[in-house]
Amino acid sequence: MSKPSPEAFEEGRGMDAHNEVMRDIRAEKSETYDPHEPTRVWVDEDNTPDGVKQSLTIILNTGGCRWARAGGCTMCGYVAESVEGGSVAHEALMDQIQVCLDHEAENAEGTADLIKIYTSGSFLDEREVPAETRRAIAETFADRERIVVESLPDFVEADRVSDFTDVGLETDVAVGLETATDRVRRDCVNKYFEFADFEDACAEARSVGAGVKAYLLLKPPFLAEPEAAADMIDSIERCADVEGCHTVSMNPCNVQRYTMVDELFFEGGYRPPWLWTVAHVLEETADVDAIVVSDPVGHGSERGAHNCGECDDRVQTAIKDFDLRQDPSVFEQVSCECEATWEYVMDAETSYNMPLVR
């Protein structure tokens, strides 16, 4: 990717020193990417307000998240996969959509009812995805049931979201809130907006008949395991109380290259969350008025949410089962000796002695 640079977008947000460090870390990446090929595409199943649906997930390759190019979040390395130069033309983005449709034709049973489109930034930011492209994508998928697009709260505007609702799509805006605690979002994640901005985005989406899916981050850097679990439980409960937010996706932090978390991990100062913590949070929030799901990326690996290595796949299977059924009893079916170690960590780990175990 091209070397990130500060822009007006970051001015006055109070994190200039941090962003300068992050730009230097991100600039170590030298690979280039084809603007006509998506970053990733896959077929799966997802739980929606209308039940479990076959889904087509698309990660478009754009010029990169505006905030990440300014420095950005401590844990997110996705901008390192962005296209050189900071922008991608409409024609190239539509070529990426066609690649995804071809993938669906080859790998799915029919067409997916649910389309999920991410850019590793903000789909509704017109520097990443021009208005022309947004409208063309809405028309392309107008015959499907539901679409999810990702955005920072800044770009959630009624006229942008209505491009999808106007063609009859049930529409959800996925917002990377990370936590409902403003201090944690600012100091641990280096994200500039407040919970009130998330509430405003929910209201804006709701004004045109769309819903919101909140993305939360389990265990950002500088939080001990018990602190992270408590913050996540509180955050899920607060999100579920916001009108229009019908789904909460808990994303356990994983160690991505070219990030501050990667630097901490290399020096022994960070351990991704335990899978037992993921299960614990899901159990504790199973009765909230929202769908709560989690899909631990890189589960069982040193850089992803993991336990001891022996039980990781079993716990991951239970988490996936919970996502679809919303039944916390699935976690009663998995156990391991390492759960005692996790319980000790939850009792004794503090920010002054973390991580207690790797």
Side-chain angles (χ1 to χ4, degrees):
M1 62 174 284
S2 54
K3 182 176 175 61
S5 59
E7 300 178 356
F9 189 74
E10 73 167 319
E11 293 299 322
R13 295 180 187 261
M15 306 177 199
D16 291 349
H18 176 92
N19 283 331
E20 184 176 355
V21 172
M22 285 298 301
R23 287 194 297 272
D24 288 340
I25 294 173
R26 297 192 192 286
E28 297 172 6
K29 183 72 176 277
S30 59
E31 286 87 344
T32 58
Y33 296 89
D34 185 347
H36 300 272
E37 292 286 335
T39 301
R40 291 180 189 86
V41 56
W42 68 89
V43 174
D44 203 350
E45 284 187 324
D46 283 81
N47 203 341
T48 78
D50 299 321
V52 177
K53 303 289 184 180
Q54 181 175 246
S55 60
L56 175 67
T57 301
I58 297 168
I59 303 181
L60 292 177
N61 204 344
T62 67
C65 173
R66 188 187 298 232
W67 179 238
R69 293 189 68 84
C73 301
T74 54
M75 76 298 177
C76 182
Y78 291 128
V79 72
E81 297 180 327
S82 60
V83 171
E84 183 79 16
S87 63
V88 177
H90 165 73
E91 293 76 15
L93 288 169
M94 294 310 295
D95 286 346
Q96 293 185 37
I97 293 294
Q98 187 58 54
V99 171
C100 296
L101 290 171
D102 293 343
H103 176 87
E104 179 187 40
E106 294 174 6
N107 295 277
E109 296 180 5
T111 56
D113 293 328
L114 171 63
I115 304 298
K116 302 195 297 180
I117 302 183
Y118 305 98
T119 66
S120 302
S122 291
F123 181 90
L124 298 179
D125 178 0
E126 293 185 346
R127 196 189 72 171
E128 281 193 69
V129 180
E132 175 188 13
T133 310
R134 183 178 68 242
R135 296 182 188 117
I137 289 174
E139 291 294 336
T140 298
F141 294 111
D143 61 339
R144 310 303 176 97
E145 292 183 11
R146 179 178 293 271
I147 193 165
V148 178
V149 296
E150 183 180 29
S151 181
L152 287 168
D154 311 48
F155 310 111
V156 182
E157 299 180 6
D159 61 338
R160 301 182 185 189
V161 179
S162 64
D163 285 339
F164 300 96
T165 56
D166 285 350
V167 298
L169 280 165
E170 293 292 333
T171 304
D172 297 318
V173 181
V175 177
L177 175 65
E178 316 306 353
T179 172
T181 308
D182 291 339
R183 179 188 61 80
V184 173
R185 189 182 318 100
R186 181 185 64 247
D187 295 345
C188 299
V189 182
N190 190 44
K191 220 161 197 174
Y192 56 86
F193 61 84
E194 298 183 347
F195 188 70
D197 298 312
F198 169 75
E199 294 176 305
D200 290 343
C202 289
E204 191 77 7
R206 196 171 67 249
S207 72
V208 291
V212 168
K213 183 177 184 178
Y215 276 70
L216 301 180
L217 180 71
L218 174 62
K219 200 178 180 185
F222 316 121
L223 289 187
E225 197 85 17
E227 293 175 316
D231 180 69
M232 184 54 50
I233 291 169
D234 176 69
S235 294
I236 291 172
E237 292 173 344
R238 289 180 63 187
C239 287
D241 286 340
V242 177
E243 189 176 356
C245 178
H246 57 65
T247 302
V248 181
S249 178
M250 171 177 57
N251 299 316
C253 188
N254 60 89
V255 183
Q256 299 177 12
R257 295 292 308 279
Y258 310 106
T259 65
M260 183 173 286
V261 167
D262 188 36
E263 302 273 311
L264 290 168
F265 177 77
F266 182 77
E267 297 294 337
Y270 182 78
R271 182 203 191 276
W274 289 70
L275 286 169
W276 291 126
T277 302
V278 178
H280 167 68
V281 171
L282 292 174
E283 286 183 291
E284 291 296 309
T285 58
D287 60 348
V288 302
D289 188 21
I291 298 169
V292 183
V293 298
S294 185
D295 184 15
V297 174
H299 83 276
S301 69
E302 189 180 29
R303 287 175 166 261
H306 63 275
N307 291 339
C308 65
E310 294 296 323
C311 64
D312 295 35
D313 286 345
R314 297 198 304 275
V315 178
Q316 173 75 358
T317 298
I319 292 168
K320 187 69 174 177
D321 195 8
F322 176 88
D323 288 351
L324 299 178
R325 296 168 51 196
Q326 299 289 285
D327 180 2
S329 69
V330 298
F331 299 115
E332 298 172 4
Q333 302 171 33
V334 289
S335 62
C336 183
E337 291 181 357
C338 74
E339 195 168 2
T341 304
W342 169 76
E343 290 172 348
Y344 176 75
V345 169
M346 291 292 286
D347 181 62
E349 186 175 275
T350 70
S351 57
Y352 299 100
N353 65 1
M354 64 181 187
L356 276 180
V357 298
R358 298 296 293 176

